[in-house]
Amino acid sequence: MTATETTGFVGTPVLRREDGPLLKGKGTFVDNIQLPGTAHAVVVRSPYAHARIRSVDLTEARAAEGVVAAFSGADLRDDWKAPMPCAWPVTPEMKNPEHFPLAVSEACYQGDGVAVVLATTRALAKDAAELVVVDYEPLPVAVDLAEAVKDGSPTAHESLESNISYVWKLETDAVDAAFAAADTTVKRRYVQPRLIPNAMELRGVVARPEPNGDVTLWSSTQIPHILKAMSAATLGMSEAKLRVIAPDVGGGFGSKADVYAEDLLVLALARRLGRPVKWIEERSEGYVATIHGRDFITEMEFAATKDGTITAVRANVTAAMGAYLQLITPGIPLLGAWLYAGPYKIPNYSFTCTGVFTNTTPTDAYRGAGRPEATYVIERTMDALAAELGMDRLELRRKNFITEFPATIASGLTIDSGDYVGALDKLLEDFDLDAFHKEQAARRASGDVKQLGVGFSTYTEMCGIAPSRILGAIGFGAGGWESSTVRCLPTGSVQVVTGTSPHGQGHETAWAQMAADLLGYAMEEIEVVHGDTAMAPYGLDTYGSRSLPVGGAALHLAGQRVIEKARQIVAHTLEVSGDDLDFAGGLFSVKGSPDRAMHIKEVAWLAFAAHNLPEGMDPYLEATAVYDASNFSWPGGAHAAVVEVDTETGDARLVRYVAIDEIGTVVNPMIVDGQVHGGLAQGIATALYEEASYDEDGNLQTANLVTYLVPSAAELPSFELGRVSAPSPLHPLGAKGVGETGTIAAAPAVINAVVDALSHLGVTDVQMPATPERVWRAIQEAK
Amino acid sequence: MRSVAITVNGERRELQLEPRELLVYVLRERLALTGTNVGCDTSSCGACTVLLDGESVKSCTVLGVQADGCEITTIEGLAMNGALHPVQQAFHEQHALQCGYCTPGMVMAAVSLIESGEAGSEKAIREGLEGNLCRCTGYHNIVKAVAAAASVTA
Amino acid sequence: MIPAAFDYEVATSADHALSLLGSDPDAKLIAGGHSLIPALKLRVARPSKLVDIGRLGELAYVRDAGDKLAIGALTRYKALRDDALLQEHCPIVSTTAGLVGDPQVRHRGTIGGSLAHGDPASDLPAVMLALGAELVIRGGVGERIVPATQFFTGVFQTAIGPGEMLTEIRVPKLTGATGWSYVKLSRRAQDWATVAVAALVHRDNGGLAAASIALTNMGATPLRATAVEDALTAGAKPTEAAEHMADGTDPPSDVAASAEFRAHLARVVGKRAIEEALSR
């Protein structure tokens, strides 16, 4: 395959065009923007989890060397025409305390901004920030989720009577009856650790006022379009005067799909000061100032007949919101709310979520967002139910798999396609379970210190966020469509404009593959434009594995519209009917007279020249399409993890991981494998390493990368991947989302493996992450 | 302020530095070599790895003044005559980067590891990259790329 | 990520360093900087002046000194790991140096910096304690030699006084009669030890004549496990002796492990270290 071929790119591992600049150190990350006259901002943050702000004295800071200005929350209060946005009021009654970029009178988590100092260099701004004197009056704190939800707990805000933000419920009619009639029920309680997303690039923002009163804002964001709209609304400025650019963005994983205090502060300060303003996060700062993920406690119940048919599921989630509702904080649990039956036929369904404020960093979307939490409790409880029934855990799964599609599930959605049986079959083909069991049995028999376990996770998930109609029905503030423009330029190249905003996913390459196949251009003749609201004005950005399912479909539709327009021009020019034209490899040819042909590049020139277009046709060969999916995207699969557990030290190490995923049509298998690898690493890290913990006063204990354990290459094995395919009948290419599958599936597979390794010792559960101490204690308690 | 002379990517640079300036900021802000990234503040992530007198170091944990008289190679100095270094080439071919933020440091750490002859097995490569964190790739393709580059340069 | 401002001087000799240090009570020495610079970046250390001894090449060496090896304080971890004399005569030092931090840390960090920092979670202090190393401290009035047992005085505290610097570390040459091991448990490869144990066993006539065991991260300083040593000398089996591994310790409780779990780990790791030492 060479890049000059003009068809057949989709499905092949085309190397990424994004790589060159990144490999040579020529990336355009926000901190690389160095504008003359920049004022560097440093935010002064509350060291207390909850405190009244009695006063903020900026006198010394303002007098310090190099200082341009300094402001308290009160100083800037009138800059905000609206509080910071929460776009997902999940219930009409939901409590949502006012949240401003700097706290005005009450700091509600350790890290809540209380003042900002601007100086001519970052170093001088940091020096001056130390001179800000804040008089705090500490207040009682609500930190632990299980305590915060109780009556009588201190509240996270003085204005709240309780910490409950909302209660949201989805339930079918006969759940209680199904539980009452069950032969067997199991009920388990699981804690999802609070996680810190840790995109390798920290957040950063630069704003530059333009001479005409416009402002250009560069932000390390996944959502330049949403950020533009929300920033303009919060500042009460014309959205038309704001240009947001997401340059190269060094990872996001949901943490950059948010509207942050610093985005708004930098924008407001640049307008106030009339000069460029820059803020760059530090890692320890980001640990309190960038959203966290997860932090759920879930009670999960299955009802089943004695032959292993599951008849009902009941999930009761308590979810930490943190101190404030960020952009979609309250909706995160709902992204899993329809999924608590997993890939299984379960006719009776109950899901309840209670959203709870705590004096901690706000939570919001972190890779998987609601679906890893659901899949974890489902797959852990499947193993528990199998043990309860004395049934093989894979047999139990097979017995309950959904096998016919489309499948309307009890929670009310319809899964368009899937192949859970095929994925599990392939997993077992690749894995050699018999050989594993022999080795496991030998180690058990010899009483080896190091025991082996295997764990499985069979899953489906809903992603590709997605149908505007459904999002509206569940209270989401925006739609789920995506837009694309395909523009065949008169001199032989193509510009593809997309509303998605990649930050590592390789859209420039994958979108060019799709466009090349559609239009018959060479790869290098196609440029993909994204991430700049001046060049790609319409879009809803990249999160929730939506880019290919929605944005890719929009590109496909726009390309088809271009071809149809070109067909009309060719028909008009050659004086034939459009129906008489074949189109392949960029060439329109008259059926039966292949010598009468015209290349689409020639059509692009004719459309530009506009000397002889069909009556009423606009010049230029371009088209825009907006695609609004009729359903979510439903990938699935079957994963297996093997862990080795040192029963003396409690150290659990992953030694093998096999992932079989069903994700429909694959555009670039190399990129897809990369997405799965990275997703797996994050799910495995959740299971074995990562947990953000607070002390009882609300001080973050895992305050930096020394104590919060993001694994390195040395902690992980290579991964074995495979695929089966059940293309989505609803997507023009049959594609599905893949950005989150690894993270969603991996954690339960790993913990199921840890428990399997220790089951002969009587261990039935180990809380995530399975630290050496937790494993050791589980073994002691089982004795 | 203190006068220092540092040879960066083969070019002698004379600078007046505040003692507190970290080498990574000297490279990024004084010399506009923004390829070297900052990923943490605890010397944990390795994103800022450069070669100092031929060995990998975290440039956030070296003062600019400590580098006086030293030779520094950054990611910008790795490609020769426009051709990617074998490690860069292998990262491209093996899809060993996604967002690309850890990449400069990861590449420099890998160059040092290979040059010291310690990239002979998957285990050695994984342990040799223990000081560099990546959040996108799960390291799978990074390890493959380093092994491929090691076999090319061996 | 940006240190508070400080002055900076480059020492051209050990004596020059001492004179620079003596002129400013808030000055600190910097060698590889891999303990100090992280603290500077978070502004938890705020010296008025740094005296850079990193260019004192004459303090980077490993030399044969009769029945001992003399290690210059400026010797970097990687040089220790790769040093032929250490590998032959005191492999517990070269091997342990290869376990410190990550490659980048090992390229810059020095043995003197590590010992002078006095971090009870660092690896080399316990090894020095088990070896009965001697630490050469130079001050305005000359040199003094401090045994490792008296060198570590508290968390981040050592016997190095104001106006003094560590210049050399002397470790015994081990003979074939001495088995050695350093077993380290950490969550990630790059992390500090949750717990680690250095073990030396001296064999005589096929039996165990003496043992020297030291613990990492089990108290404010590296600690000798004297109860274990005594039990081993008295003929206890490794498994029995290791039961005393946490006796008299005061391990920290932190996010990596509780004190109780550290005590358990010390017993497990200690047993493994003794067994490994006996096997080589």
Side-chain angles (χ1 to χ4, degrees), chain A residues 695-711:
Chain A
D695 72 10
E696 59 188 15
D697 296 323
N699 300 303
L700 183 64
Q701 298 293 284
T702 48
N704 55 47
L705 261 171
V706 173
T707 45
Y708 185 90
L709 305 182
V710 173

Side-chain angles (χ1 to χ4, degrees), chain A residues 155-325:
Chain A
T155 54
H157 293 255
E158 287 200 284
S159 61
L160 292 174
E161 283 168 22
S162 92
N163 288 313
I164 295 175
S165 173
Y166 69 86
V167 178
W168 191 95
K169 189 160 186 145
L170 170 69
E171 189 170 75
T172 57
D173 291 337
V175 175
D176 290 346
F179 272 92
D183 296 332
T184 302
T185 63
V186 289
K187 180 175 183 178
R188 294 286 185 274
R189 178 181 185 272
Y190 301 100
V191 175
Q192 302 279 338
R194 175 177 278 254
L195 300 177
I196 299 179
N198 274 298
M200 287 316 299
E201 184 206 18
L202 294 150
R203 288 192 297 117
V205 195
V206 173
R208 180 178 68 195
E210 305 296 351
N212 64 355
D214 290 4
V215 183
T216 305
L217 183 80
W218 290 265
S219 181
S220 176
T221 183
Q222 299 172 227
I223 55 166
H225 299 93
I226 295 171
L227 180 59
K228 173 161 102 23
M230 295 291 128
S231 301
T234 307
L235 270 75
M237 70 181 283
S238 163
E239 189 182 337
K241 296 190 78 61
L242 180 60
R243 173 184 182 185
V244 176
I245 299 172
D248 282 336
V249 173
F253 316 111
S255 71
K256 294 177 182 170
D258 224 311
V259 176
Y260 279 103
E262 296 82 6
D263 291 311
L264 302 167
L265 267 178
V266 167
L267 178 56
L269 293 168
R271 295 175 82 213
R272 257 187 184 248
L273 301 174
R275 63 194 287 179
V277 172
K278 181 175 188 176
W279 171 83
I280 299 294
E281 189 176 63
E282 297 186 0
R283 179 63 62 186
S284 308
E285 180 184 28
Y287 270 30
V288 294
T290 291
I291 62 97
H292 294 173
R294 321 283 192 255
D295 200 356
F296 284 20
I297 297 169
T298 306
E299 286 180 347
M300 181 71 174
E301 297 172 78
F302 280 143
T305 62
K306 56 180 177 287
D307 72 345
T309 303
I310 304 172
T311 54
V313 55
R314 185 191 281 137
N316 196 340
V317 172
T318 307
M321 304 287 101
Y324 298 102
L325 303 182

Side-chain angles (χ1 to χ4, degrees), chain A residues 15-17 19 22-27 29 31-32 34 122-124 127 196-202 249-251 253 282-285 366-367 503-504 670-671 674-675 677-679 681-682 685 690 704-706 708 710-714 716-719, chain B residues 18 20 25 28-29 32-42 44-45 47 75-76 79 82 84 87-89 91-104 107 122 125-127 129-141 143-144:
Chain A
L15 296 181
R16 294 201 326 168
R17 52 175 58 188
D19 290 357
L22 295 170
L23 278 166
K24 292 181 215 159
K26 302 294 183 192
F29 302 106
D31 195 18
N32 298 357
Q34 300 176 357
R122 206 182 298 176
L124 292 173
D127 293 347
I196 299 179
N198 274 298
M200 287 316 299
E201 184 206 18
L202 294 150
V249 173
F253 316 111
E282 297 186 0
R283 179 63 62 186
S284 308
E285 180 184 28
Y366 169 55
R367 201 170 196 168
H503 37 282
M670 176 192 80
I671 290 175
Q675 288 293 309
H677 293 150
Q682 290 184 26
E690 296 182 17
N704 55 47
L705 261 171
V706 173
Y708 185 90
V710 173
S712 79
L716 295 168
S718 289
F719 306 121
Chain B
E18 259 196 281
R20 66 164 158 172
Y25 288 129
R28 291 181 53 80
E29 292 171 3
L33 293 168
T34 53
T36 302
N37 291 323
V38 175
C40 74
D41 48 9
T42 49
S44 308
C45 79
I75 189 75
E76 290 95 338
L84 293 179
V87 174
Q88 290 170 311
Q89 185 64 29
F91 268 57
H92 177 55
E93 288 170 3
Q94 301 293 336
H95 185 36
L97 64 155
Q98 290 181 29
C99 82
Y101 196 79
C102 77
T103 306
V107 166
E122 176 177 343
I125 292 167
R126 287 185 175 276
E127 288 175 358
L129 296 176
E130 66 188 322
N132 290 75
L133 300 178
C134 167
R135 197 59 159 166
C136 292
T137 65
Y139 307 101
H140 181 104
N141 288 343
V143 173
K144 272 169 63 180

Side-chain angles (χ1 to χ4, degrees), chain A residues 126-127 130 282 449 646 648-649 653 688-689 705-706 709-710 715 771-773 776-777, chain C residues 1-2 43 46 185-189 191-192 255 257-258 260-261 264-265 268 271-272:
Chain A
K126 284 207 68 144
D127 293 347
E130 293 187 326
E282 297 186 0
V449 167
D646 184 322
E648 290 181 341
T649 65
R653 299 274 161 176
L688 296 179
Y689 294 101
L705 261 171
V706 173
L709 305 182
V710 173
E715 285 72 55
T771 62
E773 182 153 2
W776 174 69
R777 289 189 186 281
Chain C
M1 187 62 190
I2 299 177
R43 298 195 174 196
R46 309 179 75 119
L185 283 187
S186 63
R187 297 293 307 283
R188 294 176 301 182
D191 291 332
W192 276 265
V255 291
S258 68
E260 180 195 3
F261 185 52
H264 164 76
L265 287 179
V268 173
K271 177 189 67 181
R272 293 180 185 180

Side-chain angles (χ1 to χ4, degrees), chain A residues 77 150 197 200 214 335 350 364 432 449 477 497 548 779 781:
Chain A
R77 172 61 190 86
K150 291 179 183 165
M200 287 316 299
D214 290 4
L335 291 171
S350 174
D364 205 323
D432 197 351
V449 167
V497 181
L548 181 59
I779 295 169
E781 282 159 20

